[in-house]
Amino acid sequence: MGGRMPVSEAIEKPGTDGGAAVLLHGGAWDIPPGQHEAHLLALRDALGSARGVLEKDGGALDAAAAAVASMESSGTFDAGRGGVLNLDGEVELDCGIMCGRSLDYGAVVGVKRIENPVLLARFILESSDGSARILSCEGAERIAAENGFTLVANDKLVTERERVRHSELRQRLADYHTSHPFLASDNVPRGTVGCVARDRGGRLAAATSTGGTPMRPAGRVGDSALPGAGYYASGSAACSATGWGEAITASLLAGRSVDGVEAGGVPAEVLCAVLERMRTSIRNRDGRGATGGLILLDFEGSGAFAFSTPHMARAGWSEGGEGWAAV
Ligand code: GLY
């Protein structure tokens, strides 16, 4: 089948007070060594944003939105500013956020001109009467404009790094003529970002944001805006996923992870099992098992991360402990 067996690590909550906690990811792929330091810096900044909210008795949703917005603005990841470009050379962003206690969620698909899709998704979560929770393209942008969000020229979200990558990939596609299996391998960016947070009141939230996959056709929808696929939160656990969106969606990666913990599973074991099931049941276009990464927190603030790629950018903090970041 190929691909790596998933590895995981448990994050145990300190003490028994069930304090606030947060876990982040900045994508699971073969992150080049030259980008590790930038990833670590951006993860630490995002962790600080979430921690700042939680230490002031803020809510899990606010913390998750703050961390994801920080990563979207950093220019480091495949999300917000710095998102990978579609075939037409444009940024198009997907994002979703969910409250574990109410099961309310808000999401945007294929949005342009918005640096922080997570803040718009958060606005939809809060303002929706339940009749519309995932808004796409111009409809989402209209809601943003009508509600005080700043719309920027879409080019402002394109970084030089992604412009160069797009022209190199365009050349490789031309060389291949028909197929492009390299696009599904671990060494193209899958820097989707995500956060799971637990506040002092025991509320859980999950958020995931992405610039999608490189050279996808315009209008392609991945997993990151779809609850149950790229993110899910219940009263018991919150989860965010990263990896190849088509495989994640077919595997219901985040929803199955939360289900597994609700059924009494140990978080680190559940995440490995869910990733391994995806790896052994779905092949990427390169013929190898589909890979990805997951973070999960449960209602006590214990959690885990797991990934089946060479690297996953990740960070965490729980009350009474030190923050950490790793690639
Ligand atoms: N996981 C992000 C995407 O495939 O769009």
Side-chain angles (χ1 to χ4, degrees), residues 25 78 84 92 94 189-193 208-214 216 220-225 230 241-249:
H25 71 75
D78 175 16
V84 303
E92 282 183 319
D94 294 352
R190 297 189 210 167
T192 301
V193 303
T208 301
S209 182
T210 190
T213 49
R216 65 202 180 275
R220 172 263 187 189
V221 177
D223 59 299
S224 300
T242 175
W244 203 262
E246 282 67 16
I248 292 174
T249 301

Side-chain angles (χ1 to χ4, degrees), residues 155-171:
D155 272 359
K156 294 261 184 235
L157 303 179
V158 178
T159 57
E160 185 55 21
R161 179 194 68 223
E162 293 311 320
R163 239 187 267 282
V164 169
R165 192 191 317 280
H166 184 260
S167 73
E168 285 172 2
L169 289 177
R170 184 184 282 287
Q171 185 55 50

Side-chain angles (χ1 to χ4, degrees), residues 123-316:
F123 174 79
I124 293 166
L125 183 158
E126 296 288 351
S127 59
S128 171
D129 62 3
S131 58
R133 294 209 169 275
I134 305 181
L135 295 180
S136 70
C137 310
E138 291 87 354
E141 288 158 31
R142 192 184 316 156
I143 294 286
E146 287 170 359
N147 289 282
F149 286 81
T150 303
L151 298 183
V152 299
N154 208 41
D155 272 359
K156 294 261 184 235
L157 303 179
V158 178
T159 57
E160 185 55 21
R161 179 194 68 223
E162 293 311 320
R163 239 187 267 282
V164 169
R165 192 191 317 280
H166 184 260
S167 73
E168 285 172 2
L169 289 177
R170 184 184 282 287
Q171 185 55 50
R172 287 178 70 185
L173 278 180
D175 294 346
Y176 267 79
H177 298 297
T178 51
S179 68
H180 34 91
F182 61 91
L183 289 179
S185 69
D186 283 342
N187 57 20
V188 294
R190 297 189 210 167
T192 301
V193 303
C195 178
V196 289
R198 180 204 191 276
D199 62 31
R200 285 176 176 160
R203 289 167 297 201
L204 292 163
T208 301
S209 182
T210 190
T213 49
M215 308 307 274
R216 65 202 180 275
R220 172 263 187 189
V221 177
D223 59 299
S224 300
L226 306 179
Y231 63 102
Y232 196 78
S234 72
S236 309
C239 180
S240 170
T242 175
W244 203 262
E246 282 67 16
I248 292 174
T249 301
S251 305
L252 294 173
L253 221 52
R256 282 209 171 116
S257 299
V258 169
D259 275 355
V261 170
E262 286 186 350
V266 175
E269 291 171 13
V270 168
L271 299 191
C272 268
V274 169
L275 281 176
E276 183 59 359
R277 178 170 165 172
M278 180 171 82
R279 188 181 77 90
T280 53
S281 56
I282 300 179
R283 286 176 194 273
N284 284 332
R285 283 176 294 173
D286 63 358
R288 298 179 342 127
T291 53
L294 288 163
I295 53 174
L296 180 141
L297 271 182
D298 72 12
F299 71 100
E300 290 181 317
S302 302
F305 63 81
F307 54 100
S308 50
T309 47
H311 297 277
M312 179 164 78
R314 57 202 189 271

